[in-house]
Amino acid sequence: MPSSQQLSQRPRTLVVGGGYLGLYVAKNLQKKVRSLGGIVTVVDPLPYMTYQPFLPEVMGGSIEPRHITVPHARWLRHSELVRGSVVSIDHKAKEALVKGEDGEEFNIPYQDVVLAAGAITKTFPIPGLADAGIGVKRVEEAIYLRDHVQERIQFADNTDDPVARNRALRVVVVGGGFNGVETISELHDAAVLAAQRCRNITPADLDFQLVEAMGKIMPEVQEDSAKWVVEHLRDRGITVRLNTSLSDATDRHLKLVSMPGGDPVDEFDVDTLIWTAGVQANPMIRDTDLNVEQRGRLTVDATLRCVDADGNVIEGAWGAGDIAAVPDLSGGGLPDGTCVPNAQHAVRQAPVLASNLLAERYGQGEIKEYKHTNLGAVAGLGYGKGVAKIIKFPMHGFLAWAAHRGYHGMAMPTIERKIRVFSGWINQLIAGRDVWGLRNVNRPFDEFRKAASPKKKADSSK
């Protein structure tokens, strides 16, 4: 990572965030900006982007975790990479305050800034949630859940304590959107395979529960398809609790209440609590002098340029993706008229933003508005099972699953990563799914420290 003294002195296009949008904006700009005397600088705390739609398949053992990441150093060789987080932005001064991974804070001057910091998990002040729960936004979380659920199944197969056994086999996912449904489906598929190989438990002993505060899951699909998914999950042995909310998770003892009344519904202990009940724009955007709308998103126009409260374009500031309220000119977006925050829009907004920035700053081409009609939605529900809405046509089962894999496989960034993902699926067809988890990945030094610790001498007087 370059230090503040090593940063380029060229006119800078600063890209805040190296996720899907930031990666592709930088990739589309880096050579052209460099040839015109400038430099593209990408600031992100991680050295790679993660293709989040594949996180459930990582949890289910269908995809190798590294294959859904794209290393910045390999694909942004003509960009300046800074490992750190943007603390604040003073656009009037054209400066960003950055905190490096070593804790040092320094300013990065820029000519243009692209806000592409995405979204973070949205939580509520539920007692115990921070200690008991885990989100599904990062590949590290997916790896942990893959290994943790498998380890709990193995523990349940070997314990004589019925209470501990039931708790270990209980997995609760809060949030019935695409992420929650895909997460519980993939984890359940992998858990069933593991349970079939156990001696003392069977798939019927698994207790997987999906908790959703609304009366409907997966708002992106038609109501008939959403009802089909609920029936499908219940037929597989997954409990789906609609109009139900989590009120307390202290010491992993969950208390569920009805919605909207708040009356007690159930309570029990759990070893695995997964939170997928929504996302919010990265809160770093509030530490800028750019305009932010009521939901905490950056205000931009259809050309992806930042605008002030009166709709006037702010020179040199751009935004798109999950962090921005991008107008949906197709008329098929959110109720407030903005684009749905998903990968389908991010992958298409990136080249438009890059092209428009080149047109405004360097006079190359014309500025165009972003417009994309939603092609539908696809979701995987485990191996060979899925649900989809392609344009206006609902699909269930194997064809929907194939559409899910086909779409996201092609949307996976870079040809090299596409090859790795598709070849992994082919290997799965031949050798089957590898669901076994690895032990103590988060504590790799335990065994060595145990061996290296001084041994206590036995008391000879005893």
Side-chain angles (χ1 to χ4, degrees):
M1 180 192 82
S3 68
S4 56
Q5 293 78 23
Q6 295 172 324
L7 291 170
S8 172
Q9 300 303 308
R10 294 183 174 196
R12 174 174 289 104
T13 298
L14 179 65
V15 180
V16 180
Y20 206 121
L21 179 74
L23 173 77
Y24 267 95
V25 167
K27 192 170 183 291
N28 288 346
L29 287 177
Q30 57 181 356
K31 290 184 180 180
K32 295 176 182 177
V33 169
R34 195 180 185 109
S35 68
L36 294 166
I39 186 72
V40 173
T41 300
V42 179
V43 179
D44 195 282
L46 297 174
Y48 51 80
M49 69 81 63
T50 300
Y51 189 64
Q52 293 179 358
F54 277 152
L55 290 175
E57 290 214 39
V58 169
M59 288 182 264
S62 292
I63 298 180
E64 158 65 33
R66 290 180 302 171
H67 294 172
I68 72 166
T69 65
V70 179
H72 295 150
R74 178 168 183 177
W75 297 102
L76 299 179
R77 295 176 182 173
H78 302 282
S79 297
E80 187 177 54
L81 303 178
V82 177
R83 290 275 296 280
S85 302
V86 171
V87 177
S88 62
I89 292 176
D90 183 351
H91 189 66
K92 289 183 180 179
K94 294 287 187 76
E95 276 191 344
L97 178 63
V98 176
K99 184 175 183 179
E101 58 181 352
D102 58 359
E104 175 192 3
E105 290 190 353
F106 52 92
N107 287 310
I108 298 183
Y110 61 81
Q111 180 174 249
D112 294 282
V113 64
V114 177
L115 280 302
I120 65 170
T121 300
K122 180 180 181 179
T123 60
F124 301 100
I126 298 173
L129 177 60
D131 295 324
I134 184 171
V136 186
K137 286 288 289 179
R138 299 177 59 177
V139 68
E140 294 85 357
E141 293 171 325
I143 294 171
Y144 169 82
L145 285 170
R146 179 198 65 184
D147 296 345
H148 171 74
V149 171
Q150 293 297 316
E151 185 275 330
R152 290 288 81 196
I153 290 173
Q154 294 166 22
F155 168 83
D157 190 38
N158 289 281
T159 185
D160 294 327
D161 183 343
V163 174
R165 173 178 170 275
N166 292 339
R167 187 177 63 240
L169 295 175
R170 186 174 293 127
V171 175
V172 175
V173 176
V174 180
F178 261 56
N179 196 10
V181 171
E182 289 188 311
T183 292
I184 199 166
S185 297
E186 290 286 353
L187 280 174
H188 184 263
D189 246 18
V192 167
L193 286 176
Q196 289 172 343
R197 297 166 180 169
C198 291
R199 293 185 176 181
N200 301 313
I201 64 173
T202 69
D205 296 316
L206 299 173
D207 182 7
F208 277 59
Q209 302 188 31
L210 179 66
V211 177
E212 168 55 43
M214 305 298 290
K216 174 181 179 293
I217 65 171
M218 304 179 77
E220 300 89 343
V221 302
Q222 296 175 353
E223 186 172 354
D224 289 346
S225 294
K227 290 180 178 178
W228 179 89
V229 172
V230 171
E231 294 173 1
H232 168 80
L233 294 177
R234 287 173 174 167
D235 288 343
R236 289 167 57 177
I238 298 173
T239 301
V240 179
R241 296 176 181 263
L242 302 177
N243 297 310
T244 305
S245 180
L246 175 67
S247 65
D248 198 310
T250 304
D251 296 329
R252 298 185 182 275
H253 182 77
L254 306 191
K255 295 181 180 180
L256 304 180
V257 297
S258 64
M259 294 294 291
D263 297 323
V265 172
D266 201 355
E267 58 180 284
F268 45 77
D269 292 327
V270 66
D271 280 352
T272 310
L273 172 62
I274 305 170
W275 182 269
T276 67
V279 296
Q280 62 180 339
N282 195 313
M284 63 76 49
I285 194 62
R286 297 173 185 172
D287 294 316
T288 74
D289 53 355
L290 299 170
N291 192 52
V292 177
E293 47 93 78
Q294 187 175 8
R295 294 178 59 184
R297 297 174 298 171
L298 184 69
T299 55
V300 301
D301 64 13
T303 66
L304 307 180
R305 292 180 289 188
C306 295
V307 295
D308 61 21
D310 297 322
N312 300 312
V313 171
I314 300 173
E315 185 272 333
W318 304 79
D322 295 355
I323 202 172
V326 180
D328 192 330
L329 301 183
S330 72
L334 296 172
D336 63 0
T338 60
C339 292
V340 177
N342 59 21
Q344 185 178 149
H345 281 297
V347 68
R348 291 169 173 82
Q349 289 168 0
V352 174
L353 192 157
S355 176
N356 285 350
L357 192 153
L358 288 172
E360 181 177 89
R361 177 59 60 191
Y362 300 101
Q364 295 194 351
E366 298 180 357
I367 293 179
K368 299 179 181 179
E369 294 183 329
Y370 172 74
K371 182 179 181 180
H372 170 68
T373 301
N374 197 328
L375 299 177
V378 291
L381 303 177
Y383 191 77
K385 303 175 285 289
V387 62
K389 182 185 73 173
I390 308 299
I391 306 178
K392 294 183 180 180
F393 303 100
M395 300 170 61
H396 305 147
F398 182 83
L399 287 179
W401 172 78
H404 160 76
R405 280 203 165 181
Y407 173 78
H408 286 298
M410 294 308 298
M412 181 69 206
T414 78
I415 294 176
E416 176 256 343
R417 261 4 191 200
K418 286 182 175 66
I419 292 173
R420 292 185 186 278
V421 168
F422 277 102
S423 50
W425 285 337
I426 293 171
N427 179 64
Q428 184 182 25
L429 286 174
I430 298 171
R433 179 160 39 167
D434 186 1
V435 301
W436 299 110
L438 299 176
R439 291 290 188 93
N440 301 325
V441 173
N442 296 323
R443 304 189 305 275
F445 301 106
D446 285 1
E447 195 64 28
F448 176 79
R449 288 169 179 165
K450 180 180 178 181
S453 297
K455 304 295 188 298
K456 292 183 179 180
K457 294 182 179 181
D459 188 346
S460 57
S461 64
K462 293 183 179 180

